[in-house]
Amino acid sequence: MHTTAPTPTPTPTPEQTAATDTFRTGAHLVMQAGAGTGKTTTLAMLAHTARRQSRFGRYIAFNKAIARDAARKFPADVACGTAHSLAYTAVGRHYQARMNAPRQAGWRTGAALGIDEGMSVRIGARNVTNKALSYTVLRTVTRFCHSADTGLARHHVPSLRGAEAEALHDQLAGLVLPYARRAWADLQHRDRGVVRFEHDHYLKMWALQEPVIRADFLLLDEAQDTNPVVEQVFSAQRDHAQLVLVGDSAQAIYGWRGARDVMTGFDGEQLTLSRSFRFGPTLATEANRWLSIIGAPLRLTGSPQRETELRVVPAPEAILCRSNVGAMVEVIRQQETHRRVALAGGGEALSALARAAHDLNEGRRATHPELMLFESWSELREYAEYDPAGRDLLPLVELVDEHGTTALLRALDRLSPEGSAEVTVSTAHRAKGREWASVRIADDFTGPDDLDERDEHGTPLPGPIDIDEARLAYVAVTRARAQLDIGGLSWINSHPAGDPSPWTATATATATAATASTGPTRSEHPPTVHGPAGEPIPDPNQ
């Protein structure tokens, strides 16, 4: 009879051993875990250490999928879940009837709150309709729920595309806040109300109750992207529970939607995990270049068992983009080469944006949050071309003008499931936590604008690299296991902050020679993309 030998337990690295030894003392810990350094495995080691000490703990994950995966690795007496699952048990279950209510268009909710269907307000050069106002009211409540604040305030009101100036935002906030407070009051009723009850609502209600989480220790994963509301609850437990924060401050890429890096400045023992099991030394060197730009103290060491190349990859397994619009560009490009294309997270967000562009291009007012303040396609084009705040929409305008919205929607309808696709297109945000054998960085990762100053040869000096952009670049380049084509990030090789090493210069020369011999593999004029990274925004019609 044949029996399968048990999988040998990997020998802990010195850093993992140091983590378990320090955890055993009961001290609060902050563990900076670089890309691919085995943080979940290390946390499981801590959990097994606690079990031998007869201590009960909880692991708090970023989302359900991560929690389910961790539960397979952790001992049974460590509860694995999310902050939302804790809040649901305490508060959310009482609102189940409201959560099962049918969805309705945001403007209908606004009408129930007193925003007249024919209402229209001029803010600067933009006309804010009842639909735009209703959407903004609901987003204001959501942003409040993500915060640690006890009441709604001006800073919870989101800026609207095309009306970003501070004076215009003040005018908008004065209009929105009374309705937002009315919406929050409506949400307090358990069995009735006009505002659709969401998971973030009961999370905020739970946090306002100042809950005590019964546990001997708490493990907070992805701590660098923690919403202030979760940070508030977690930090309040430190007098009765050992707190362990694990994550990578260099991957803190969700600040634009309210997340905060709670690891920096946390009062606890500081530890690191720096040996990456995902990629080899060459890619570790590239990752360290971005870590240096960010100013992170962590430096990665690649696995000697892996060989990761930096070179041109004509047919990568994944293409990582800076923005949703950039992802749309890549989907069309890849389909034109007859490859089966998947879009990480599905095509719903891009389809909603393409449908909104179609409406605007056909002379109808769009309801999508990105486009709803514009009354015509020409007005949007002017904003994208001449307003710095709108430059990240320029690739969308160019795409629509070149291909038409019908072609865009047809391309999105032809997307394949990831399991059967030849290439996956993803934003860097959605790629976080994932990995592929070969990765190419898309063209929409453009470098900083040049300064007015020039060097001794009269060449304009490049401007400083935005730290948030460098964090996103670090996430993007560390998704590859075997091959990385730095593509749209190759500008870093000539930037003073890049300090390219000899192997990087060789890789760049190889890429240049390959392009010269085979013709351009990308657009001769890559789109300029600036501003927020464009992750999916809820459709106000849903």
Side-chain angles (χ1 to χ4, degrees):
M1 177 178 170
H2 176 74
T3 58
T4 303
T7 302
T9 303
T11 303
T13 66
E15 289 175 326
Q16 290 173 327
T17 299
T20 53
D21 289 345
T22 307
F23 176 75
R24 196 177 288 114
T25 68
H28 299 305
L29 301 181
V30 178
M31 198 182 312
Q32 291 283 355
T37 56
K39 64 182 175 65
T40 304
T41 300
T42 306
L43 287 174
M45 292 178 182
L46 303 189
H48 284 285
T49 297
R51 187 180 191 184
R52 290 189 289 270
Q53 296 175 315
S54 300
R55 293 199 294 153
F56 163 76
R58 288 185 175 275
Y59 165 82
I60 302 175
F62 192 67
N63 58 43
K64 281 185 181 179
I66 295 173
R68 282 195 300 267
D69 183 62
R72 292 192 287 267
K73 302 173 183 177
F74 282 54
D77 51 359
V78 174
C80 298
T82 63
H84 282 88
S85 64
L86 288 169
Y88 179 83
T89 301
V91 176
R93 59 190 177 89
H94 300 301
Y95 292 83
Q96 189 61 51
R98 289 196 61 173
M99 282 190 283
N100 290 333
R103 290 183 178 273
Q104 67 174 354
W107 66 267
R108 292 189 183 276
T109 302
L113 293 171
I115 301 173
D116 293 336
E117 191 171 337
M119 184 175 180
S120 180
V121 180
R122 200 75 180 172
I123 295 185
R126 308 297 175 200
N127 189 35
V128 180
T129 65
N130 66 304
K131 292 183 178 180
L133 184 58
S134 299
Y135 160 79
T136 308
V137 167
L138 297 177
R139 283 296 298 161
T140 297
V141 173
T142 299
R143 286 162 59 97
F144 163 63
C145 290
H146 291 166
S147 77
D149 302 322
T150 57
L152 283 149
R154 174 191 174 279
H155 61 274
H156 299 131
V157 179
S159 294
L160 292 183
R161 179 76 79 163
E164 295 90 350
E166 187 173 353
L168 301 182
H169 183 260
D170 285 341
Q171 185 181 349
L172 179 67
L175 185 65
V176 164
L177 282 173
Y179 293 110
R181 294 188 177 106
R182 193 176 301 173
W184 182 242
D186 174 89
L187 289 165
Q188 308 310 306
H189 303 294
R190 292 187 176 186
D191 301 315
R192 59 181 174 81
V194 299
V195 181
R196 181 177 169 83
F197 198 93
E198 304 284 356
H199 297 288
D200 285 338
H201 297 149
Y202 66 72
L203 177 67
K204 181 62 175 179
M205 292 175 182
W206 177 63
L208 289 171
Q209 294 176 3
E210 300 181 355
V212 175
I213 303 174
R214 300 298 178 188
D216 297 315
F217 64 91
L218 296 172
L219 309 175
L220 180 63
D221 201 357
E222 297 289 346
Q224 80 283 348
D225 281 322
T226 302
N227 280 336
V229 64
V230 176
E231 174 195 359
Q232 178 188 47
V233 173
F234 183 81
S235 298
Q237 315 303 314
R238 69 179 298 139
D239 289 340
H240 71 273
Q242 181 185 13
L243 304 184
V244 178
L245 290 80
V246 63
D248 185 354
S249 291
Q251 294 190 54
I253 59 175
Y254 284 105
W256 57 276
R257 73 174 189 191
R260 204 178 79 84
D261 175 18
V262 302
M263 302 176 70
T264 304
F266 183 83
D267 183 13
E269 295 288 333
Q270 304 283 327
L271 300 173
T272 59
L273 297 177
S274 61
R275 165 62 63 87
S276 181
F277 301 97
R278 179 180 298 157
F279 44 74
T282 299
L283 185 47
T285 302
E286 175 66 19
N288 288 338
R289 179 156 62 157
W290 293 101
L291 288 170
S292 176
I293 293 168
I294 294 165
L298 179 70
R299 294 294 180 272
L300 293 176
T301 303
S303 170
Q305 282 77 43
R306 287 192 178 274
E307 182 178 346
T308 309
E309 301 176 280
L310 265 74
R311 65 177 183 83
V312 172
V313 183
E317 190 175 294
I319 300 173
L320 305 187
C321 308
R322 183 193 175 279
S323 68
N324 272 327
V325 175
M328 192 180 292
V329 171
E330 286 295 341
V331 165
I332 291 175
R333 285 180 182 171
Q334 292 302 304
Q335 288 181 344
E336 287 175 345
T337 66
H338 307 292
R339 298 187 82 193
R340 294 188 303 277
V341 185
L343 186 66
E348 290 184 12
L350 285 184
S351 294
L353 187 58
R355 286 193 300 270
H358 179 78
D359 287 343
L360 201 56
N361 203 25
E362 292 292 312
R364 296 187 296 272
R365 194 76 181 250
T367 58
H368 192 283
E370 289 287 292
L371 309 182
M372 63 187 177
L373 289 195
F374 301 98
E375 298 185 32
S376 67
W377 185 253
S378 60
E379 187 178 297
L380 173 63
R381 184 189 289 115
E382 181 181 0
Y383 171 76
E385 289 179 346
Y386 300 111
D387 192 322
R391 288 177 63 187
D392 62 315
L393 286 177
L394 188 57
L396 173 66
V397 171
E398 293 174 340
L399 202 60
V400 170
D401 287 345
E402 180 180 353
H403 296 276
T405 52
T406 302
L408 301 190
L409 290 167
R410 189 183 303 121
L412 293 169
D413 285 341
R414 290 168 49 207
L415 288 169
S416 301
E418 282 199 57
S420 59
E422 296 172 276
V423 58
T424 296
V425 175
S426 175
T427 62
H429 286 89
R430 285 198 179 276
K432 188 175 172 185
R434 301 188 61 180
E435 59 184 58
W436 292 270
S438 58
V439 170
R440 193 185 84 209
I441 309 300
D443 288 336
D444 62 342
F445 278 89
T446 55
D449 292 334
D450 290 338
L451 301 173
D452 293 333
E453 305 170 35
R454 296 177 180 269
D455 62 17
E456 63 272 17
H457 306 293
T459 304
L461 295 174
I465 299 172
D466 182 84
I467 296 300
D468 289 334
E469 296 296 312
R471 294 183 197 279
L472 202 60
Y474 166 68
V475 170
V477 301
T478 53
R479 300 307 100 193
R481 294 192 301 269
Q483 297 170 342
L484 172 68
D485 181 345
I486 63 172
L489 286 171
S490 58
W491 54 264
I492 190 62
N493 295 328
S494 58
H495 194 283
D499 188 26
S501 56
W503 61 261
T504 303
T506 301
T508 305
T510 303
T512 303
T515 301
S517 62
T518 63
T521 57
R522 305 183 186 91
S523 170
E524 293 285 351
H525 303 286
T528 303
V529 180
H530 295 272
E535 275 298 279
I537 298 174
D539 187 338
N541 287 318
Q542 298 299 314

